[in-house]
Amino acid sequence: MTKILLTGGCGFIGSNLGPLLIDQGFEVTILDNFSKGDISYLPKHDQFEIIEADIGDEEAVYNAAKGKDAVIHLAALGSVVESVVNPNDNFISNAEGTFKVLNAARRAGIKRCVFASTGGAIMGNTPPPVNETSLPKPISPYGASKLAGEGYCSAFSHAYDMNITALRFANVIGPISAHKKGAITVFIRALMNNKPITIFGDGKATRDFLFVKDLCKGIVSALIKNKPGFNVYHLASGEEVSVKQLAKTLCEVAEKPDHEIRFESKRKGEVERNFADYKKAKEELGFLPSFTLDEALKITWNWFLEHEGPES
Ligand SMILES: NC(=O)c1ccc[n+]([C@@H]2O[C@H](COP(=O)([O-])OP(=O)(O)OC[C@H]3O[C@@H](n4cnc5c(N)ncnc54)[C@H](O)[C@@H]3O)[C@@H](O)[C@H]2O)c1
């Protein structure tokens, strides 16, 4: 049985990915410091070995990595806005943390790694649609930390003969995201509690939204394909959606089409337009998103209604 070390496995994406890995017959050890995630988020959590540790503790990562066949590295501080406020913490978790995970994997003799990178933040305001040949120009410390991570993935792959795949995720939507602070969670809470939706900027900024189930299938495919050397792929929907359009679609999903939307000034670090072409991932990994934005938002909305409900 293939043994996986999954860092950050108790967060949003990890809690969706972990059970899929178990269903596909992998044996999964999770390493998480619970700074953002929680064991209670993780379905079937008794089927995992779970280690509480920080990726900054390289010995802990090394001990967890020993005897494993592959590492999927998700653990990171994922907020653009928080990274602008506190670039130091972001650097330590994401840039230095990724170095430590790769170094621990190298020392443990692991030859297969998958790294969670980002599509939007790494590209900055590079004109979309971006693909793997576009020049990354991050405009936030978060974007820079992921680019640094990709740099170490490339270097470790070449220097130590490791197969490392960096996956640039689009903006991910889905269940088990109540702890997230991105637009979707904030908009859903506003709708559930009959408060106005606040958009930072004029609402014309665009994003590429991908359903978490589609993303997780792409991650598993990258793991199984185990492409030789260092490879980068965009995992995206390929569709450009404005933040205002997102808010309007969510209002319709919530059956509140006239819900109030307010606008406040734009925040630093957030890119203007972003969407990615996933052709390379389709051709080489068989990645093909199947959920529409409408379907993804409906599933996510229903999950929030079931798990959270309005404030009392
Ligand atoms: N959610 C998205 O839309 C999105 C988009 C692009 C990239 N990503 C990347 O995907 C990965 C997972 O994101 P997510 O949305 O699940 O975030 P999340 O915050 O829900 O999950 C991250 C998990 O990592 C853990 N963690 C954070 N720092 C750690 C550390 N130093 N040591 C050990 N554990 C630590 C947290 O406790 C949490 O369980 C991240 O690398 C993120 O940058 C996410």
Side-chain angles (χ1 to χ4, degrees):
M1 195 186 266
T2 308
K3 294 181 180 157
I4 310 289
L5 174 63
L6 174 63
T7 72
C10 291
F12 163 40
I13 294 169
S15 296
N16 283 280
L17 176 64
L20 179 64
L21 289 167
I22 296 285
D23 290 347
Q24 302 243 337
F26 293 97
E27 193 178 303
V28 184
T29 296
I30 286 175
L31 184 143
D32 199 302
N33 69 357
F34 307 130
S35 59
K36 304 277 178 186
D38 196 279
I39 294 182
S40 64
Y41 300 166
L42 184 69
K44 307 183 182 179
H45 57 255
D46 52 343
Q47 295 187 31
F48 299 84
E49 182 191 7
I50 301 179
I51 298 168
E52 180 174 1
D54 193 289
I55 54 168
D57 179 352
E58 193 183 306
E59 286 315 298
V61 183
Y62 169 69
N63 286 326
K66 272 193 294 191
K68 305 295 185 297
D69 303 295
V71 174
I72 301 176
H73 175 37
L74 300 181
L77 295 181
S79 161
V80 165
V81 174
E82 283 176 17
S83 82
V84 173
V85 175
N86 193 340
N88 201 50
D89 280 1
N90 188 269
F91 175 80
I92 291 167
S93 273
N94 297 8
E96 201 177 298
T98 297
F99 170 82
K100 290 189 172 173
V101 169
L102 291 171
N103 205 33
R106 173 189 70 79
R107 290 170 52 213
I110 294 178
K111 294 288 182 192
R112 187 181 353 173
C113 299
V114 175
F115 170 57
S117 186
T118 168
I122 212 166
M123 286 300 166
N125 286 322
T126 300
V130 295
N131 65 26
E132 293 76 4
T133 64
S134 308
L135 184 64
K137 285 188 205 161
I139 60 167
S140 64
Y142 169 69
S145 72
K146 289 291 180 180
L147 186 55
E150 285 193 9
Y152 278 111
C153 287
S154 170
F156 271 64
S157 162
H158 287 86
Y160 308 114
D161 296 322
M162 296 162 77
N163 295 342
I164 308 184
T165 302
L167 300 174
R168 293 178 176 168
F169 304 167
N171 285 70
V172 190
I173 309 175
I176 329 186
S177 54
H179 64 287
K180 299 292 291 181
K181 298 204 174 113
I184 306 231
T185 305
V186 175
F187 292 179
I188 287 180
R189 283 223 176 91
L191 278 160
M192 286 198 314
N193 296 306
N194 287 320
K195 292 186 178 149
I197 287 177
T198 302
I199 292 180
F200 294 97
D202 59 9
K204 290 188 186 138
T206 61
R207 297 287 181 269
D208 182 322
F209 296 101
L210 180 66
F211 189 52
V212 71
K213 267 196 192 324
D214 283 328
L215 172 82
C216 290
K217 276 163 75 180
I219 299 173
V220 172
S221 171
L223 175 77
I224 292 170
K225 294 264 177 189
N226 189 23
K227 288 277 186 188
F230 173 64
N231 290 279
V232 177
Y233 298 95
H234 281 273
L235 298 186
S237 75
E239 293 197 6
E240 183 172 32
V241 176
S242 75
V243 177
K244 190 171 171 187
Q245 207 180 326
L246 171 78
K248 289 260 175 223
T249 312
L250 254 177
C251 292
E252 274 154 30
V253 164
E255 296 175 356
K256 297 181 180 184
D258 300 321
H259 194 86
E260 186 184 352
I261 300 177
R262 284 185 190 162
F263 297 88
E264 281 186 16
S265 46
K266 191 174 173 300
R267 296 182 296 190
K268 282 257 182 218
E270 295 192 307
V271 306
E272 205 43 53
R273 284 184 67 204
N274 171 250
F275 71 107
D277 175 356
Y278 61 82
K279 185 164 168 265
K280 185 179 174 214
K282 185 179 172 190
E283 286 173 0
E284 296 184 18
L285 303 178
F287 169 75
L288 193 61
S290 60
F291 288 83
T292 63
L293 179 62
D294 213 51
E295 288 166 340
L297 290 177
K298 272 188 190 133
I299 295 168
T300 309
W301 168 255
N302 288 332
W303 182 86
F304 270 84
L305 280 187
E306 195 181 320
H307 288 82
E308 198 158 280
E311 282 165 6
S312 45

